[in-house]
Coordinates of all heavy atoms in Angstrom, one line a residue:
M1175 N 90.4 83.3 118.8 CA 91.0 84.4 118.1 C 89.9 85.4 117.7 O 88.9 84.9 117.1 CB 91.8 83.9 116.9 CG 92.6 84.9 116.2 SD 93.8 84.1 115.2 CE 93.6 84.8 113.6
P1176 N 90.0 86.7 117.9 CA 88.9 87.6 117.5 C 88.7 87.8 116.0 O 89.7 87.7 115.3 CB 89.2 89.0 118.2 CG 90.8 88.9 118.4 CD 91.1 87.4 118.5
D1177 N 87.5 88.0 115.6 CA 87.2 88.3 114.2 C 87.8 89.7 113.9 O 87.4 90.7 114.6 CB 85.7 88.3 113.9 CG 85.3 86.7 113.8 OD1 86.1 85.9 113.5 OD2 84.1 86.6 114.0
I1178 N 88.4 89.9 112.8 CA 88.9 91.2 112.4 C 88.2 91.5 111.1 O 88.3 90.7 110.2 CB 90.5 91.2 112.2 CG1 91.2 90.7 113.5 CG2 90.9 92.6 111.8 CD1 91.1 91.7 114.6
R1179 N 87.7 92.8 111.0 CA 87.2 93.1 109.7 C 87.9 94.5 109.3 O 88.2 95.3 110.2 CB 85.7 93.3 109.7 CG 85.1 94.4 110.6 CD 83.6 94.4 110.5 NE 83.0 95.3 111.5 CZ 82.8 96.6 111.3 NH1 83.1 97.2 110.2 NH2 82.4 97.4 112.2
I1180 N 88.1 94.7 108.0 CA 88.8 95.8 107.5 C 87.7 96.8 106.9 O 86.9 96.4 106.1 CB 89.7 95.5 106.3 CG1 90.7 94.4 106.8 CG2 90.5 96.7 105.9 CD1 91.6 94.8 107.9
E1181 N 87.7 98.0 107.5 CA 86.8 99.0 107.0 C 87.5 100.0 106.1 O 88.5 100.7 106.6 CB 86.1 99.7 108.2 CG 85.1 100.7 107.9 CD 84.5 101.4 109.0 OE1 83.9 100.7 109.9 OE2 84.6 102.6 109.2
R1182 N 87.2 100.1 104.9 CA 87.8 101.1 104.0 C 87.3 102.5 104.3 O 86.2 102.7 104.6 CB 87.3 100.8 102.4 CG 87.8 99.6 101.9 CD 89.3 99.3 101.8 NE 89.8 100.4 100.9 CZ 91.2 100.4 100.8 NH1 92.0 99.7 101.4 NH2 91.7 101.4 100.1
I1183 N 88.3 103.5 104.3 CA 88.0 104.9 104.7 C 88.3 105.7 103.5 O 87.4 106.5 103.1 CB 88.7 105.3 105.9 CG1 88.2 104.4 107.1 CG2 88.5 106.7 106.2 CD1 89.0 104.7 108.4
D1184 N 89.5 105.6 102.9 CA 89.9 106.5 101.8 C 89.5 107.9 101.9 O 88.8 108.4 101.1 CB 89.2 105.9 100.5 CG 89.7 104.5 100.1 OD1 91.0 104.3 100.3 OD2 88.9 103.7 99.7
E1185 N 90.2 108.6 102.8 CA 90.1 110.0 103.0 C 91.4 110.7 103.3 O 92.2 110.1 104.0 CB 89.0 110.4 104.0 CG 89.4 110.2 105.4 CD 88.3 110.6 106.4 OE1 87.1 110.1 106.1 OE2 88.5 111.3 107.3
A1186 N 91.5 112.0 102.7 CA 92.8 112.7 103.0 C 92.8 113.1 104.5 O 91.7 113.5 105.0 CB 92.9 113.9 102.0
I1187 N 93.9 113.1 105.1 CA 93.9 113.5 106.5 C 95.2 114.2 106.8 O 96.1 114.2 106.0 CB 94.0 112.2 107.5 CG1 95.1 111.3 107.1 CG2 92.6 111.4 107.5 CD1 95.3 110.2 108.1
M1188 N 95.2 114.9 108.0 CA 96.4 115.6 108.4 C 97.2 114.7 109.2 O 96.7 114.1 110.2 CB 96.0 116.9 109.1 CG 95.4 117.9 108.3 SD 95.2 119.5 109.1 CE 94.8 119.1 110.8
V1189 N 98.6 114.6 108.9 CA 99.4 113.7 109.7 C 100.6 114.5 110.1 O 101.2 115.3 109.4 CB 99.9 112.5 108.8 CG1 100.9 111.7 109.5 CG2 98.8 111.7 108.4
R1190 N 101.0 114.2 111.4 CA 102.3 114.8 111.9 C 103.3 113.6 111.8 O 103.1 112.5 112.2 CB 102.1 115.2 113.4 CG 103.2 116.2 113.8 CD 102.8 116.8 115.1 NE 102.8 115.9 116.2 CZ 101.8 115.6 117.1 NH1 100.7 116.4 117.0 NH2 101.9 114.8 117.9
A1191 N 104.4 114.0 111.1 CA 105.4 113.0 110.9 C 106.8 113.5 111.1 O 107.1 114.7 110.9 CB 105.3 112.4 109.4
D1192 N 107.7 112.6 111.3 CA 109.2 112.9 111.4 C 109.8 112.5 110.1 O 109.5 111.3 109.5 CB 109.8 112.1 112.6 CG 109.4 112.6 113.9 OD1 108.9 113.8 114.0 OD2 109.6 111.9 114.9
F1193 N 110.7 113.3 109.6 CA 111.4 113.0 108.4 C 112.9 113.0 108.8 O 113.4 114.0 109.3 CB 111.2 114.0 107.3 CG 110.0 113.9 106.6 CD1 108.8 114.5 107.3 CD2 109.7 113.2 105.4 CE1 107.5 114.5 106.7 CE2 108.4 113.2 104.9 CZ 107.3 113.9 105.4
Q1194 N 113.6 111.9 108.9 CA 114.9 111.8 109.3 C 115.8 110.8 108.5 O 115.3 109.7 108.3 CB 115.0 111.3 110.8 CG 116.0 111.9 111.7 CD 115.7 111.7 113.1 OE1 115.1 110.6 113.5 NE2 116.3 112.5 114.0
G1195 N 116.9 111.2 108.0 CA 117.7 110.4 107.3 C 117.1 109.7 106.1 O 117.3 108.5 105.8
G1196 N 116.2 110.4 105.5 CA 115.5 109.9 104.2 C 114.4 108.9 104.5 O 113.8 108.4 103.7
V1197 N 114.0 108.9 105.8 CA 113.0 107.9 106.3 C 111.8 108.8 106.8 O 112.1 109.7 107.7 CB 113.4 106.8 107.2 CG1 112.3 106.0 107.8 CG2 114.5 106.0 106.7
V1198 N 110.5 108.5 106.5 CA 109.5 109.2 107.0 C 108.8 108.2 108.0 O 108.6 107.1 107.8 CB 108.4 109.7 106.0 CG1 108.0 108.6 105.1 CG2 107.3 110.5 106.6
T1199 N 108.4 108.9 109.2 CA 107.7 108.1 110.2 C 106.5 108.8 110.8 O 106.7 109.9 111.3 CB 108.7 107.7 111.3 OG1 109.8 107.0 110.9 CG2 108.0 106.9 112.5
P1200 N 105.3 108.3 110.5 CA 104.1 109.1 111.1 C 104.1 109.0 112.6 O 104.5 107.9 113.1 CB 103.0 108.4 110.4 CG 103.4 107.1 110.0 CD 104.9 107.2 109.8
V1201 N 103.7 110.1 113.2 CA 103.7 110.2 114.6 C 102.2 110.2 115.2 O 101.8 109.7 116.3 CB 104.5 111.4 115.2 CG1 104.3 111.6 116.6 CG2 105.9 111.3 114.7
A1202 N 101.4 111.0 114.5 CA 100.0 111.3 114.8 C 99.2 111.7 113.7 O 99.7 112.2 112.7 CB 99.8 112.3 116.0
F1203 N 97.9 111.4 113.7 CA 97.0 112.0 112.7 C 95.7 112.4 113.2 O 95.3 112.1 114.3 CB 96.8 110.9 111.4 CG 96.0 109.7 111.9 CD1 94.6 109.8 111.7 CD2 96.5 108.6 112.3 CE1 93.7 108.7 112.0 CE2 95.7 107.4 112.6 CZ 94.3 107.5 112.4
R1204 N 95.1 113.3 112.4 CA 93.8 114.0 112.9 C 92.7 113.5 112.0 O 92.8 113.6 110.7 CB 93.9 115.4 113.0 CG 92.6 116.1 113.5 CD 92.9 117.7 113.8 NE 93.9 117.8 115.0 CZ 93.4 117.8 116.1 NH1 92.2 117.5 116.4 NH2 94.3 118.0 117.2
R1205 N 91.6 113.1 112.5 CA 90.4 112.6 111.8 C 89.2 112.9 112.6 O 89.0 112.6 113.8 CB 90.4 111.2 111.5 CG 89.1 110.7 110.6 CD 89.3 109.3 110.2 NE 88.3 109.0 109.3 CZ 87.2 108.2 109.7 NH1 87.3 107.6 110.7 NH2 86.2 108.0 108.8
Q1206 N 88.2 113.6 112.0 CA 86.9 114.0 112.6 C 87.1 114.6 114.0 O 86.6 114.2 115.0 CB 86.0 112.8 112.7 CG 85.6 112.2 111.4 CD 84.9 110.9 111.5 OE1 84.8 110.3 112.5 NE2 84.2 110.6 110.4
H1207 N 88.1 115.7 114.0 CA 88.3 116.5 115.2 C 89.0 115.7 116.3 O 89.0 116.1 117.5 CB 87.1 117.1 115.7 CG 86.4 117.9 114.7 ND1 86.9 118.9 114.0 CD2 85.2 117.7 114.1 CE1 86.1 119.5 113.1 NE2 85.0 118.7 113.2
R1208 N 89.5 114.4 116.1 CA 90.2 113.7 117.1 C 91.7 113.4 116.6 O 91.9 113.1 115.5 CB 89.5 112.4 117.3 CG 90.2 111.5 118.3 CD 89.4 110.3 118.8 NE 90.3 109.5 119.6 CZ 90.8 108.3 119.3 NH1 90.3 107.7 118.2 NH2 91.6 107.6 120.0
E1209 N 92.6 113.6 117.6 CA 93.9 113.3 117.3 C 94.2 111.9 117.6 O 93.9 111.4 118.8 CB 95.0 114.2 118.0 CG 96.4 113.9 117.7 CD 97.3 114.9 118.1 OE1 97.7 114.8 119.4 OE2 97.8 115.8 117.3
H1210 N 94.8 111.1 116.9 CA 95.2 109.7 117.0 C 96.7 109.7 117.3 O 97.4 109.9 116.3 CB 94.8 108.8 115.9 CG 93.4 108.7 115.7 ND1 92.6 107.7 116.1 CD2 92.5 109.6 115.1 CE1 91.3 107.9 115.8 NE2 91.3 109.1 115.1
R1211 N 97.2 109.5 118.4 CA 98.7 109.4 118.6 C 99.1 108.0 118.3 O 98.4 107.0 118.9 CB 99.0 109.8 120.1 CG 98.7 111.3 120.3 CD 99.0 111.5 121.8 NE 98.5 112.8 122.2 CZ 99.2 113.9 122.0 NH1 100.5 113.9 121.5 NH2 98.7 115.1 122.4
L1212 N 100.2 107.9 117.6 CA 100.5 106.5 117.1 C 101.6 105.9 118.1 O 102.5 106.6 118.4 CB 101.2 106.6 115.7 CG 100.1 107.2 114.7 CD1 100.8 107.2 113.3 CD2 98.8 106.4 114.7
T1213 N 101.3 104.8 118.5 CA 102.1 104.1 119.5 C 103.1 103.0 118.9 O 104.1 102.6 119.5 CB 101.3 103.3 120.6 OG1 100.5 102.5 119.9 CG2 100.6 104.5 121.3
R1214 N 102.8 102.7 117.6 CA 103.5 101.6 117.0 C 103.4 101.6 115.5 O 102.3 101.8 114.9 CB 103.1 100.2 117.5 CG 103.9 99.1 117.0 CD 103.6 97.8 117.8 NE 104.4 96.8 117.2 CZ 103.9 95.6 116.9 NH1 102.7 95.2 117.2 NH2 104.7 94.7 116.3
I1215 N 104.6 101.5 114.8 CA 104.6 101.2 113.4 C 104.7 99.7 113.2 O 105.7 99.1 113.6 CB 105.7 102.0 112.6 CG1 105.9 103.4 113.0 CG2 105.7 101.8 111.2 CD1 104.7 104.2 112.5
N1216 N 103.6 99.1 112.7 CA 103.6 97.6 112.6 C 104.3 97.2 111.3 O 105.0 96.2 111.3 CB 102.2 97.1 112.5 CG 101.3 97.7 113.7 OD1 101.8 97.6 114.8 ND2 100.2 98.2 113.4
A1217 N 104.2 97.9 110.3 CA 104.9 97.6 109.0 C 105.0 98.8 108.2 O 104.2 99.8 108.3 CB 104.0 96.5 108.2
R1218 N 105.9 98.8 107.2 CA 106.0 99.9 106.2 C 106.5 99.3 104.9 O 107.2 98.3 104.9 CB 107.0 101.0 106.7 CG 108.4 100.6 107.0 CD 109.3 101.7 107.4 NE 109.1 102.2 108.7 CZ 109.2 103.4 109.0 NH1 109.4 104.4 108.2 NH2 108.9 103.8 110.3
W1219 N 105.9 99.8 103.8 CA 106.3 99.3 102.4 C 106.1 100.4 101.5 O 105.4 101.4 101.7 CB 105.5 98.1 102.1 CG 104.0 98.2 101.9 CD1 103.4 98.4 100.8 CD2 103.1 98.2 103.0 NE1 102.0 98.5 101.0 CE2 101.8 98.4 102.4 CE3 103.1 98.1 104.4 CZ2 100.6 98.5 103.1 CZ3 102.0 98.2 105.2 CH2 100.7 98.4 104.5
V1220 N 106.7 100.2 100.3 CA 106.7 101.3 99.2 C 106.1 100.6 97.9 O 106.5 99.5 97.6 CB 108.0 101.9 98.9 CG1 108.0 102.8 97.9 CG2 108.6 102.4 100.2
E1221 N 105.2 101.3 97.3 CA 104.7 100.9 96.0 C 105.3 101.9 94.9 O 105.0 103.1 95.1 CB 103.1 101.0 95.9 CG 102.5 99.7 96.4 CD 101.0 99.7 96.2 OE1 100.5 100.5 95.4 OE2 100.3 98.9 96.8
R1222 N 105.9 101.3 94.0 CA 106.6 102.2 93.0 C 105.9 102.0 91.7 O 106.5 101.3 90.8 CB 108.1 101.8 92.9 CG 108.8 102.0 94.1 CD 110.3 101.6 94.0 NE 111.0 101.7 95.3 CZ 111.4 102.9 95.9 NH1 111.2 104.0 95.4 NH2 112.0 102.8 97.1
S1223 N 104.8 102.5 91.5 CA 104.1 102.5 90.2 C 104.0 103.9 89.7 O 103.7 104.8 90.4 CB 102.7 101.9 90.3 OG 102.0 102.6 91.2
G1224 N 104.5 104.0 88.5 CA 104.5 105.4 87.9 C 105.8 106.1 88.3 O 106.8 105.6 88.8
K1225 N 105.7 107.5 88.2 CA 106.9 108.3 88.4 C 107.2 108.5 90.0 O 108.4 108.6 90.3 CB 106.7 109.7 87.9 CG 107.7 110.3 87.3 CD 107.2 111.5 86.5 CE 108.3 112.5 86.1 NZ 107.7 113.7 85.5
H1226 N 106.1 108.6 90.8 CA 106.4 108.9 92.2 C 105.8 107.8 93.1 O 104.7 107.3 93.0 CB 105.6 110.1 92.6 CG 105.9 111.3 91.7 ND1 107.1 112.1 92.0 CD2 105.3 111.9 90.7 CE1 107.2 113.1 91.1 NE2 106.1 112.9 90.3
P1227 N 106.7 107.3 94.1 CA 106.3 106.2 94.9 C 105.2 106.6 95.9 O 105.1 107.8 96.2 CB 107.7 105.8 95.6 CG 108.4 107.0 95.6 CD 108.0 107.7 94.3
S1228 N 104.5 105.7 96.4 CA 103.6 105.9 97.5 C 104.1 105.0 98.8 O 104.5 103.9 98.5 CB 102.2 105.4 97.2 OG 101.6 106.3 96.3
F1229 N 104.1 105.7 99.9 CA 104.7 105.0 101.0 C 103.5 104.6 102.0 O 102.6 105.5 102.3 CB 105.6 106.0 101.9 CG 106.8 106.4 101.1 CD1 106.6 107.5 100.2 CD2 107.9 105.7 101.1 CE1 107.7 108.0 99.4 CE2 109.0 106.1 100.3 CZ 108.9 107.2 99.5
F1230 N 103.5 103.3 102.3 CA 102.4 102.8 103.1 C 102.8 102.4 104.6 O 104.0 102.0 104.7 CB 101.8 101.5 102.5 CG 101.0 101.8 101.2 CD1 101.8 102.0 100.0 CD2 99.6 102.0 101.2 CE1 101.1 102.2 98.8 CE2 99.1 102.3 100.0 CZ 99.7 102.4 98.8
F1231 N 101.9 102.6 105.6 CA 102.3 102.3 106.9 C 101.0 101.6 107.6 O 100.0 102.1 107.4 CB 102.6 103.6 107.7 CG 103.6 104.4 107.1 CD1 103.3 105.3 106.1 CD2 104.9 104.3 107.5 CE1 104.3 106.1 105.5 CE2 106.0 105.0 106.9 CZ 105.6 105.9 106.0
S1232 N 101.4 100.5 108.2 CA 100.3 99.9 109.2 C 100.7 100.4 110.5 O 101.9 100.2 111.0 CB 100.3 98.4 109.1 OG 99.6 97.9 110.2
V1233 N 99.8 101.0 111.2 CA 100.1 101.7 112.5 C 99.0 101.4 113.6 O 97.9 101.1 113.2 CB 100.2 103.3 112.3 CG1 101.4 103.7 111.4 CG2 98.9 103.8 111.9
T1234 N 99.5 101.4 114.8 CA 98.6 101.2 115.9 C 98.4 102.6 116.7 O 99.5 103.2 117.0 CB 99.0 100.2 116.9 OG1 99.2 98.9 116.2 CG2 98.1 99.9 118.0
D1235 N 97.3 103.0 116.9 CA 97.1 104.2 117.8 C 96.9 104.0 119.2 O 96.9 102.9 119.7 CB 95.9 105.2 117.2 CG 94.6 104.6 117.6 OD1 94.4 103.6 118.3 OD2 93.6 105.4 117.2
D1236 N 96.8 105.1 119.9 CA 96.8 105.0 121.5 C 95.6 104.2 122.1 O 95.7 103.9 123.2 CB 96.9 106.4 122.1 CG 96.0 107.4 121.5 OD1 95.1 107.0 120.7 OD2 96.1 108.5 121.9
S1237 N 94.6 104.0 121.2 CA 93.4 103.2 121.7 C 93.6 101.7 121.3 O 92.7 101.0 121.6 CB 92.2 103.8 121.1 OG 92.0 103.6 119.8
G1238 N 94.6 101.4 120.5 CA 94.9 100.0 120.1 C 94.3 99.7 118.7 O 94.4 98.6 118.2
D1239 N 93.6 100.7 118.1 CA 93.1 100.4 116.7 C 94.4 100.4 115.7 O 95.3 101.2 115.9 CB 92.1 101.4 116.3 CG 90.9 101.4 117.2 OD1 90.5 100.2 117.6 OD2 90.2 102.5 117.4
V1240 N 94.2 99.6 114.6 CA 95.2 99.4 113.6 C 94.7 100.1 112.4 O 93.6 99.8 111.8 CB 95.5 98.0 113.3 CG1 96.5 97.9 112.2 CG2 96.1 97.3 114.7
Y1241 N 95.5 101.0 111.8 CA 95.1 101.8 110.6 C 96.1 101.6 109.5 O 97.3 101.4 109.9 CB 95.1 103.3 111.0 CG 94.0 103.7 111.9 CD1 94.2 103.8 113.2 CD2 92.8 104.1 111.5 CE1 93.2 104.0 114.2 CE2 91.7 104.5 112.2 CZ 91.9 104.4 113.7 OH 90.9 104.8 114.5
Q1242 N 95.7 101.8 108.3 CA 96.7 101.8 107.1 C 96.6 103.2 106.6 O 95.7 103.7 106.2 CB 96.3 100.9 106.0 CG 97.3 100.9 104.9 CD 97.0 99.8 103.8 OE1 96.9 98.7 104.1 NE2 96.9 100.3 102.6
L1243 N 97.9 103.9 106.7 CA 98.2 105.2 106.2 C 98.9 105.1 105.0 O 99.7 104.2 104.7 CB 98.9 106.1 107.2 CG 98.3 106.2 108.6 CD1 99.2 107.0 109.4 CD2 97.0 106.7 108.6
Q1244 N 98.8 106.1 104.0 CA 99.5 106.2 102.8 C 99.9 107.6 102.6 O 99.2 108.6 102.7 CB 98.5 105.8 101.7 CG 99.3 105.8 100.3 CD 98.2 105.5 99.2 OE1 98.5 105.9 98.0 NE2 97.0 104.9 99.5
L1245 N 101.3 107.8 102.3 CA 101.7 109.1 101.8 C 102.0 109.0 100.4 O 102.9 108.3 99.8 CB 103.1 109.4 102.6 CG 103.7 110.7 102.1 CD1 102.9 111.9 102.2 CD2 105.1 110.9 102.8
Q1246 N 101.3 109.8 99.6 CA 101.5 109.9 98.1 C 102.4 111.0 97.8 O 102.2 112.1 98.0 CB 100.2 110.3 97.4 CG 99.2 109.1 97.6 CD 97.8 109.4 96.9 OE1 97.6 110.5 96.5 NE2 97.0 108.5 96.9
S1247 N 103.7 110.6 97.5 CA 104.8 111.5 97.3 C 104.7 112.5 96.2 O 105.2 113.6 96.3 CB 106.2 110.7 97.2 OG 106.2 110.1 96.0
A1248 N 103.9 112.2 95.2 CA 103.8 113.2 94.1 C 103.2 114.5 94.6 O 103.5 115.5 94.3 CB 102.9 112.5 93.0
E1249 N 102.1 114.3 95.4 CA 101.3 115.5 95.9 C 101.7 115.8 97.4 O 101.2 116.8 97.9 CB 99.8 115.4 95.8 CG 99.4 115.1 94.4 CD 99.4 113.7 93.9 OE1 99.4 112.8 94.8 OE2 99.4 113.4 92.7
M1250 N 102.4 114.9 98.1 CA 102.7 115.0 99.5 C 101.4 115.1 100.3 O 101.3 115.9 101.1 CB 103.7 116.2 99.8 CG 105.1 116.0 99.3 SD 105.9 114.5 99.8 CE 106.3 114.8 101.5
V1251 N 100.5 114.2 99.9 CA 99.1 114.1 100.6 C 99.1 112.8 101.3 O 99.5 111.7 100.8 CB 98.1 114.2 99.6 CG1 96.7 113.9 100.3 CG2 98.1 115.6 98.8
W1252 N 98.7 112.9 102.6 CA 98.5 111.6 103.3 C 96.9 111.2 103.2 O 96.0 112.0 103.2 CB 98.6 111.9 104.8 CG 100.1 112.1 105.3 CD1 100.8 113.2 105.2 CD2 100.9 111.1 105.6 NE1 102.2 113.0 105.6 CE2 102.2 111.6 105.9 CE3 100.9 109.7 105.9 CZ2 103.3 110.9 106.3 CZ3 101.9 108.9 106.3 CH2 103.1 109.6 106.5
W1253 N 96.8 109.9 103.2 CA 95.5 109.2 103.1 C 95.4 108.2 104.2 O 96.2 107.4 104.5 CB 95.3 108.4 101.8 CG 95.1 109.4 100.6 CD1 96.0 110.1 99.8 CD2 93.9 110.0 100.2 NE1 95.5 110.8 98.9 CE2 94.1 110.8 99.0 CE3 92.5 109.7 100.6 CZ2 93.1 111.5 98.4 CZ3 91.5 110.4 99.8 CH2 91.8 111.3 98.8
L1254 N 94.2 108.2 104.7 CA 93.7 107.1 105.7 C 93.0 106.1 104.8 O 91.9 106.3 104.4 CB 92.9 107.6 106.8 CG 92.4 106.6 107.8 CD1 93.5 105.8 108.4 CD2 91.5 107.3 108.9
D1255 N 93.6 104.9 104.5 CA 93.1 104.0 103.7 C 92.1 103.1 104.4 O 90.9 102.8 103.8 CB 94.2 103.0 103.0 CG 95.0 103.7 102.1 OD1 94.7 104.7 101.5 OD2 96.2 103.3 101.8
S1256 N 92.4 102.6 105.6 CA 91.5 101.6 106.2 C 91.8 101.6 107.7 O 92.8 102.1 108.2 CB 91.6 100.3 105.6 OG 92.9 99.8 105.8
V1257 N 90.8 100.9 108.4 CA 91.0 100.6 109.8 C 90.6 99.1 110.0 O 89.6 98.7 109.4 CB 90.2 101.5 110.8 CG1 88.8 101.6 110.5 CG2 90.5 101.3 112.3
A1258 N 91.4 98.4 110.9 CA 91.0 97.1 111.2 C 90.2 97.1 112.5 O 90.7 97.6 113.5 CB 92.3 96.2 111.3
L1259 N 89.0 96.5 112.5 CA 88.2 96.5 113.6 C 87.9 95.1 114.2 O 87.7 94.1 113.4 CB 86.8 97.1 113.3 CG 86.9 98.6 112.9 CD1 85.5 99.0 112.3 CD2 87.3 99.5 114.0
E1260 N 87.9 94.9 115.4 CA 87.6 93.6 116.1 C 86.0 93.5 116.2 O 85.3 94.4 116.5 CB 88.2 93.4 117.4 CG 89.6 93.2 117.4 CD 90.2 92.8 118.8 OE1 89.5 92.3 119.6 OE2 91.4 93.1 119.0
G1261 N 85.5 92.2 115.9 CA 84.1 92.1 116.2 C 83.3 91.7 115.0 O 83.7 91.6 113.9

C-alpha cells in the first residue's frame, strides 16, 4: 500500500461548479495557471458552525490527485484546503 501524505495548501481558488436542485458540485478548479478537471467526487460533507455552513468536497482530478475543496457559503469563496500525495 503506498504512503499517502497530506499537504496543506489553504488558498482561495477559482472553481467552476454546477448548482442544481439545491446541490453544488465542483467541476474544475484553477490553480497556478493550470486547470484541474475533476473526474470524481469522492465525498461531500457540511460543517454547520456559526450562521453560514461550509461545504467540503474530496475530489479527484484528471491526473489522479486527490484534493479537498471548501465552499464558504457566507462569502461564496472557494478554498483549496489540501492535496493528498503518494510517496
